[in-house]
Amino acid sequence: ADERNREALALGGLTIWLDVPLAQLWERVSENDGRPLAGNRRDFETLFEKRRCVYAKADYTVSNAGEGPWAGVDQIRQLGLL
């Protein structure tokens, strides 16, 4: 999530960050064998912390702490953007 990617996203429309606590994210991805970082929690945490400041620049932030992914979808719908 380098700055060039962020700039490209900004040109293409609005961005929404689904803000989920690290422990909750790890629980989700570690159950999925198809996720490249799912096998190494330390690498996952490092990348998360590195990218967090870029994610925070999103146009909208939806907090999804303690909830399942579909709750985030409902919250996005409630923004009235779509």
Side-chain angles (χ1 to χ4, degrees), residues 26-65:
W26 176 252
E27 184 177 312
R28 289 180 186 176
V29 301
S30 64
E31 296 171 356
N32 184 337
D33 292 337
R35 302 296 297 249
L37 295 177
N40 187 313
R41 185 170 180 147
R42 182 187 299 180
D43 289 347
F44 181 83
E45 290 176 1
T46 299
L47 186 59
F48 175 82
E49 292 303 328
K50 179 181 176 185
R51 291 181 174 177
R52 187 175 185 84
C53 64
V54 176
Y55 296 155
K57 294 178 182 180
D59 299 314
Y60 297 88
T61 298
V62 171
S63 178
N64 193 236

